[in-house]
Amino acid sequence: MRVAVIGLGPAGLLMGAGLARRGHQVVAVERDPGPAADGSWPRRGVMQVLEQELPEALPRWLAAGAEPVQLPLPDGGRVPMGVRSRRATFERALRAAALGQPGLQARHGHVEGVISHNGRAGGLRVDGSELAADLVIDASGRAGRATRPLRPAASSGGPCGIAYVDRQYQLHPGADPGPLANPLAWQADLDGYQAIIFMHEHGTFSVLLVRPAADPVLAQLRHEAAFTAACRAIPGLADWTDPGRSRPITPVLPGGPLLNAYRGQTGPDGQLALPGLVFVGDAVATTTPTFGRGVTTTLLQAQQLLQLIDEHGPDTATVGESFDTWCAEQIKPWVDDHVHMDESTRCRWAGQDIDLDQPLPSDLILAAAQADPSILGATFGYLGMTALPASLRAVEPRARALYATGWRPAPAPGPTRDELADIIQMALPAAPVLVTV
C-alpha cells in the first residue's frame, strides 16, 4: 500500500519504519526539521516493542545512555519496570533508526488537510500539492491541526485542574544521587501539591512541582528564584538539587494545565471519522505525566496497528474499526485511571477526605501497600503496565478496609501549601508600589 503518515514523533517513526519494513511505500510528513547540528532537538508538542518492530533503534538508544531498570520481586525474581532516559534521547535514537529504513521517505512540509475520494481518505494535501495514499495515519499528536475537523471529540477526560513546572539537572561527576527508593522516580505527596523526580540517563534527572492549576500563588513557581527556594525547602528535593551534588541544565519550564483525554476512531454515530484515516498515539490518548506513561501507550498502539494492517491489508475500514475496539479495551482504561486519580488528588488538595463510597483511585491502593504489604504483590503488573488498572480491584477491599480504620498516608515531610506560598513570596522581589501625587 501507499501510506501517508502525519508527524514524525515516536508514533509516526515507529509506524513509518514498521510499514516500510513490511514492504509498503511510506511518506511521512513533518513540520519539525529534526535535530540541529549540535544534537539539540526542541520537540513541539518499550523496549519489547522496539525489539519486535524496529530492532535497530534499541542498540542506538542504549548506546546513547538509556538505562533499563528491573523491579525486584519478593521471590527474588525481577521484572522489567522501565527505562531511565530523556524523551529527546529516545526520539533521536528512534529517528536515526527509522529514517535509515529503506522504503520510508521523510518529507519536510506542512500538511493542510486530508484528501477525500468517495467518502474515503485518499491522501494528503501538503504545501498546496497532493500526496496520494491508500491509508493515512495521523500521528501528529493531540494538538495536530490537519485533521482537526475530522477528529472525533474526546469521549472521556479533559482538563484535570492540575499544572506543573519542571527543570532538568545533571549530577556532578562522581556525585551520589539523593534518596530514591524507586529506581525510576521519587514522589513526595505534600499538603496541597506534589514534588516528583524522574531519573534519566547519565545522571540527569527532572524535577517537577505539581500544583492546582487555579492556584495563582503556586503558579509563581515558574520563576527561577521561587523554584529554587521551593527545592531547598522540600526534603529530598533539597538533597538532589544541592549545588554541591548537581547543577541545572535547563531553565524552569512552565507546563500548561494538564489534560487526560481519550479519542477513539469513531464519532457519536459509531462510524469512522473517515475510512482510510487512522489516528494513533497522543491523538488517541493523553495522560498526565505523573506516571510517565505517554510513550508506552503510544508504542503499544503503534505495535497493535501494525499487526492489524498485517492482518487486514488494504481493508483500511476494518483496520480502523478493529483498532478502535482494541484501543477502547487496552488504552482507554489508562486514561480513565488517570482521570480518577487526578480528580481525587485535586479534591484532597482542597481538603476533602477520601470518599470510601466511591471506587478507590489507583494511587490510594498503591499507598495502602505501605501499611498492608499483602497488597504489594498485586501492584507489580499495574506499575509495569503488563496488567490493566482493573487488576488492582482484587486488592481494593483490603485497601478500603485499611482506610475505613482511619489510616491515611502521612504527607511527605516539607512545607504545607500555605508555607510554600510564603516561601515563594519571600523569594520573589516585591512588586513596585505606584505612588501618585
Side-chain angles (χ1 to χ4, degrees):
M1 288 192 299
R2 298 169 302 173
V3 183
V5 179
I6 309 173
L8 274 175
L13 288 166
L14 192 62
M15 287 301 307
L19 289 166
R21 288 170 66 89
R22 289 159 166 81
H24 300 287
Q25 300 175 13
V26 186
V27 178
V29 185
E30 170 65 85
R31 295 181 66 178
D32 184 348
D38 63 0
S40 62
W41 190 13
R43 290 288 297 167
R44 292 179 286 201
V46 162
M47 291 184 66
Q48 184 180 15
V49 175
L50 292 183
E51 288 175 340
Q52 294 176 357
E53 301 296 346
L54 189 56
E56 298 89 345
L58 184 55
R60 287 179 180 270
W61 191 23
L62 296 175
E67 302 169 3
V69 174
Q70 293 186 321
L71 180 70
L73 298 177
D75 62 4
R78 290 178 174 270
V79 296
M81 186 179 183
V83 181
R84 289 195 289 239
S85 172
R86 287 172 288 183
R87 177 158 179 158
T89 301
F90 168 74
E91 289 199 26
R92 282 195 296 268
L94 185 60
R95 183 183 180 93
L99 296 187
Q101 177 62 45
L104 171 59
Q105 175 189 347
R107 177 172 170 179
H108 183 209
H110 171 58
V111 177
E112 299 166 343
V114 178
I115 301 167
S116 177
H117 295 310
N118 299 319
R120 300 179 64 86
L124 299 175
R125 189 168 57 255
V126 183
D127 295 326
S129 63
E130 291 192 0
L131 173 63
D134 304 302
L135 173 66
V136 174
I137 296 174
D138 183 358
S140 60
R142 65 182 177 91
R145 297 179 180 179
T147 62
R148 187 171 295 173
L150 301 170
R151 184 177 299 178
S155 62
S156 64
C160 62
I162 296 174
Y164 74 101
V165 294
D166 78 292
R167 195 177 200 184
Q168 289 187 8
Y169 291 78
Q170 170 79 60
L171 290 171
H172 296 315
D176 292 328
L180 190 68
N182 182 323
L184 287 175
W186 173 89
Q187 179 170 321
D189 292 301
L190 296 116
D191 177 26
Y193 64 101
Q194 291 175 332
I196 303 174
I197 291 174
F198 287 119
M199 285 296 298
H200 306 310
E201 77 283 2
H202 298 315
T204 58
F205 59 96
S206 294
V207 173
L208 279 68
L209 293 175
V210 188
R211 61 172 178 84
D215 191 323
V217 178
L218 297 195
Q220 301 303 307
L221 288 165
R222 67 182 183 275
H223 299 294
E224 181 175 340
F227 188 92
T228 300
C231 288
R232 290 174 179 168
I234 300 172
L237 291 191
D239 293 327
W240 278 88
T241 62
D242 184 332
R245 174 174 275 154
S246 65
R247 63 181 179 88
I249 57 175
T250 70
V252 179
L253 304 171
L258 295 176
L259 180 74
N260 294 305
Y262 176 81
R263 292 178 174 86
Q265 309 294 320
T266 60
D269 60 358
Q271 301 298 311
L272 292 174
L274 182 65
L277 169 65
V278 181
F279 303 95
V280 67
D282 286 350
V284 171
T286 303
T287 57
T288 52
T290 49
F291 277 79
R293 288 174 173 151
V295 170
T296 301
T297 55
T298 287
L299 295 188
L300 291 174
Q301 287 180 57
Q303 183 180 43
Q304 179 64 22
L305 182 52
L306 286 168
Q307 292 174 2
L308 290 171
I309 294 172
D310 289 343
E311 181 179 352
H312 299 293
D315 185 356
T316 55
T318 299
V319 168
E321 292 165 355
S322 299
F323 187 56
D324 188 54
T325 298
W326 181 86
C327 286
E329 295 173 350
Q330 300 296 324
I331 299 299
K332 186 175 182 290
W334 295 107
V335 177
D336 293 342
D337 187 56
H338 276 267
V339 169
H340 189 29
M341 281 195 295
D342 291 341
E343 173 64 17
S344 175
T345 296
R346 192 179 59 79
C347 290
R348 297 198 302 273
W349 283 349
Q352 298 180 28
D353 194 14
I354 299 170
D355 186 351
L356 294 179
D357 293 328
Q358 299 296 322
L360 289 177
S362 296
D363 60 331
L364 288 182
I365 297 176
L366 297 177
Q370 301 172 23
D372 184 352
S374 70
I375 295 172
L376 187 61
T379 67
F380 296 136
Y382 171 83
L383 291 171
M385 293 188 68
T386 58
L388 290 172
S391 64
L392 294 180
R393 296 306 120 192
V395 292
E396 181 181 7
R398 300 180 199 173
R400 186 181 303 278
L402 177 64
Y403 287 114
T405 68
W407 180 88
R408 298 292 184 269
T416 65
R417 181 270 165 203
D418 291 344
E419 290 168 342
L420 181 62
D422 290 340
I423 292 169
I424 291 170
Q425 301 287 20
M426 292 178 62
L428 295 175
V433 177
L434 178 63
V435 179
T436 58
V437 178

